[in-house]
Amino acid sequence: MTTFRPVRFLIASTLALALGSLAVTASAHFIWLAPGGTPTASSPATPGSLQIYFGESAAPDNPRLLDTLKEIKLWRLAAGDQPTPLVAERSGDTLAAKLPADDPDKPAIYVAAHDLGVRDKGGESFRLMYYAKSGPVASSPAWQAIDASGVSPLDIVPRLTDGKVSLAVRFKGSPSAAAEMLILGPDDSDGEDFAGQTDADGQYVFTVTEPGRYSIRARHVEATAGKVGDQAFEVIRHYATLTLDVPTSNASASKTAGASDGLASETIGKLPFTLTSFGGAVLGDDVYVYGGTMGASHQYGKELQNDALMRMKLTGGEWETVARGPRLQGLALVPHGGKLYRIGGFEARNSAGDDQDLWSVNSVASFDPATGQWSELPPLPEPRSSFDAVVMGDHIYVMGGWGMAGDAKPVWHETAWKMDLTQNQPSWTAIAKAPFERRALALAAHDGKLYGIGGMTSGDETSLETDIYDPATDSWSTGPELVGDSGMTGFGASAFATGGDLYITTVTGSLQKLAKDGSAWTVVAEMPAGRFFHRMLPASESTFVLIGGSNMQSRITDVERIRVR
């Protein structure tokens, strides 16, 4: 059985709080099938229909993205019968197929397949194949009785036993070992989510702690090259989804604990609104936040971007707005010499609900709390967002991220820069190019070096990697990987050093510490709630404050103080 770690996360748009053009965002979406649809307060179930979604989970998403599925193929499968083709029809904001009446003694399973063609990302050309599957409740024997491999080369077969779901993942009839798995729990519960890989027999097991609808996804990469028309590809990426309903009687009564024993955690305040992808810094006895988005995943609009610089005492209390500036998210905020430095980010030039128009910026400014004023500084050499920055000594260092310019393809940055803040006329100076192209990474200064941790690669793969920059030699080296069954552990994480140790907090809920000799990361505690696109900032030699961010269950406004020793 594959071991797994609970994970609480929003795929960003998932891959996407951080951002990109519609084409980039759409690439992080998947096909889902739901007989009758997913009921909501404003949209009840539709009996006799098979609803088709294109999003992060088995729920309605941006209806414009449904245009991608015009050529989707659908089938109804029943034991002993040949696959029956179904026809998807677009009506307003929905895409659905009419279903024949089911024989109660012969339940059916529904399957979809769609070829998204050849894509070219991160220097690799690949063919993208999507499959989706749905059917009766998880306890039905139909899941094992009906073979879907004839229409879905990548297939997920569930079996529910004693509150646990076993998932058999098969590719062309054979077990798919080391297939990447993601299981999102019901949206309206506090159930857990899981991420990991199948074992050598193509099996993955998770414990159900809440009844409801689970959105399950598997990824298998086939090392087969070829052509579609005149477009060549190197490999085929196969993604399969499974919409699985678990009834109340089959949910386990057990729950996974929140914080581990020994981790002292307390809530010391609340943000006045939800906030992700913002800048944060500690200066004196105060913690500051600036920018970020107040909207939900996939929502981009200038009115959703925060323009307030807010301050709270490190001991806790209420937030106050001390200044305003441009509306930005995906930026960095760092302290030095009694001032704050705001760097880069991106602005939404569209209004909420309109076609997104996102532009990275190169602006840099300092804020002096004594005067309450911003002062412009030399801009970055190129527009940059979804990166990170840190102060070490008297220098600001910037690395990672990308540049967005409306409908243009984002430019991933391997350049890295520093600015000497002791100069009368400071300027940006290039340092050795990073050996990676990653965004949504964490950057931290520790023991005289810089640590670039996790993020997402230019090939749309999440990363657990650590890369280390040594200013003394202007060179890079490779550090240990984060602990995690899923690359999502390092996506949108936050890292900082205090008390002589380097820590990182992740969306999986793990608080990890780098060994004294730098050889490995170890999990030192499990947080009460996982977060990503948040900020973890040092409040003392032994405590941090955690601010903002989100996970699969919610967007978090609680400000927590945790004691690490």
Side-chain angles (χ1 to χ4, degrees):
M1 180 189 303
T2 299
T3 58
F4 56 82
R5 180 178 304 280
V7 90
R8 307 164 185 85
F9 88 102
L10 290 169
I11 300 179
S13 188
T14 112
L15 312 175
L17 288 170
L19 339 165
S21 65
L22 182 59
V24 174
T25 302
S27 69
H29 288 61
F30 304 90
I31 300 170
W32 304 87
L33 302 181
T38 300
T40 66
S42 60
S43 177
T46 308
S49 73
L50 178 68
Q51 295 293 319
I52 304 158
Y53 303 131
F54 194 47
E56 300 170 8
S57 63
D61 206 303
N62 190 332
R64 289 184 290 118
L65 299 181
L66 294 175
D67 292 338
T68 308
L69 308 181
K70 291 178 181 178
E71 305 300 324
I72 192 170
K73 296 179 180 179
L74 299 170
W75 297 272
R76 177 184 184 274
L77 307 179
D81 294 347
Q82 291 295 314
T84 302
L86 301 173
V87 178
E89 297 181 350
R90 183 72 183 267
S91 177
D93 289 342
T94 65
L95 183 66
K98 293 181 180 179
L99 296 179
D102 266 345
D103 181 343
D105 297 322
K106 203 172 188 179
I109 284 174
Y110 304 97
V111 179
H114 190 53
D115 184 346
L116 272 77
V118 177
R119 303 296 175 92
D120 188 356
K121 288 185 179 179
E124 181 183 50
S125 294
F126 56 91
R127 189 174 185 179
L128 190 57
M129 303 294 295
Y130 277 1
Y131 316 99
K133 187 177 184 181
S134 67
V137 295
S139 55
S140 172
W143 293 110
Q144 292 80 51
I146 300 173
D147 182 9
S149 62
V151 292
S152 181
L154 183 59
D155 189 23
I156 308 173
V157 180
R159 183 188 297 271
L160 177 62
T161 307
D162 297 329
K164 292 186 176 182
V165 174
S166 300
L167 301 171
V169 182
R170 301 166 184 163
F171 181 66
K172 296 182 178 179
S174 298
S176 175
E180 294 182 8
M181 302 298 297
L182 179 68
I183 295 92
L184 305 183
D187 288 340
D188 58 352
S189 76
D190 60 356
E192 291 167 350
D193 311 311
F194 305 93
Q197 293 184 335
T198 56
D199 62 17
D201 297 320
Q203 297 284 326
Y204 185 90
V205 180
F206 69 96
T207 300
V208 174
T209 57
E210 292 284 350
R213 175 157 291 175
Y214 284 75
S215 300
I216 299 166
R217 194 182 84 215
R219 178 182 186 267
H220 176 95
V221 178
E222 181 183 6
T224 299
K227 281 188 174 183
V228 177
D230 59 355
Q231 291 184 294
F233 57 86
E234 302 165 18
V235 298
I236 306 175
R237 297 185 187 180
H238 299 268
Y239 290 90
T241 66
L242 171 66
T243 304
L244 191 66
D245 292 325
V246 178
T248 303
S249 60
N250 294 109
S252 169
S254 65
K255 295 272 188 178
T256 299
S260 65
D261 293 338
L263 175 67
S265 172
E266 60 177 325
T267 299
I268 61 171
K270 282 183 177 292
L271 287 168
F273 40 75
T274 62
L275 202 60
T276 57
S277 299
F278 57 96
V282 171
L283 190 62
D285 296 327
D286 300 305
V287 59
Y288 291 81
V289 297
Y290 179 80
T293 177
M294 300 173 284
S297 177
H298 300 292
Q299 287 187 314
Y300 300 100
K302 51 191 175 184
E303 62 267 59
L304 300 177
Q305 293 183 306
N306 174 40
D307 67 349
L309 176 66
M310 300 186 297
R311 178 174 63 196
M312 185 188 77
K313 289 294 182 185
L314 281 172
T315 52
E318 299 295 324
W319 290 89
E320 61 172 331
T321 296
V322 295
R324 295 194 179 272
R327 296 183 180 273
L328 296 168
Q329 65 190 86
L331 74 153
L333 187 72
V334 296
H336 180 269
K339 296 181 180 180
L340 298 171
Y341 292 82
R342 184 195 78 225
I343 308 160
F346 80 87
E347 60 185 13
R349 297 182 180 178
N350 60 283
S351 297
D354 293 343
D355 290 344
Q356 63 188 37
D357 187 20
L358 312 179
W359 291 75
S360 300
V361 302
N362 62 358
S363 62
V364 180
S366 66
F367 177 80
D368 187 345
T371 63
Q373 299 297 315
W374 290 101
S375 299
E376 295 297 319
L377 290 172
L380 289 168
E382 70 270 289
R384 187 180 298 243
S385 58
S386 192
F387 65 101
D388 208 358
V390 70
V391 168
M392 187 164 64
D394 292 317
H395 290 82
I396 297 176
Y397 291 85
V398 170
M399 60 190 65
W402 63 5
M404 297 185 296
D407 292 333
K409 184 178 180 179
V411 176
W412 291 78
H413 294 310
E414 60 177 3
T415 55
W417 305 92
K418 68 178 181 180
M419 175 185 279
D420 186 349
L421 296 175
T422 65
Q423 296 177 343
N424 291 329
Q425 295 181 330
S427 60
W428 292 100
T429 303
I431 63 174
K433 286 186 177 181
F436 57 80
E437 292 179 345
R438 298 203 301 268
R439 65 180 179 89
L441 77 167
L443 182 63
H446 173 59
D447 199 22
K449 298 179 181 179
L450 301 180
Y451 289 74
I453 311 162
M456 174 175 287
T457 72
S458 55
D460 281 350
E461 303 291 340
T462 51
S463 174
L464 299 172
E465 296 171 346
T466 300
D467 290 281
I468 306 169
Y469 174 73
D470 186 348
T473 60
D474 192 30
S475 63
W476 289 86
S477 60
T478 301
E481 289 194 351
L482 292 172
V483 178
D485 295 329
S486 164
M488 291 303 298
T489 300
F491 182 58
S494 185
F496 227 106
T498 194
D501 289 308
L502 177 59
Y503 296 86
I504 188 167
T505 181
T506 74
V507 72
T508 65
S510 65
L511 176 69
Q512 301 189 27
K513 182 172 74 171
L514 186 67
K516 289 292 186 181
D517 62 2
S519 61
W521 291 95
T522 58
V523 176
V524 294
E526 295 292 339
M527 305 300 300
R531 302 179 188 228
F532 70 174
F533 296 102
H534 62 297
R535 291 292 173 179
M536 179 179 72
L537 302 168
S540 71
E541 290 290 296
S542 59
T543 59
F544 287 104
V545 288
L546 273 67
I547 308 168
S550 64
N551 58 36
M552 185 57 190
Q553 279 70 44
S554 63
R555 296 168 68 82
I556 303 170
T557 57
D558 284 350
V559 179
E560 291 179 85
R561 179 168 55 215
I562 60 171
R563 182 172 296 278
V564 294
R565 62 170 57 84

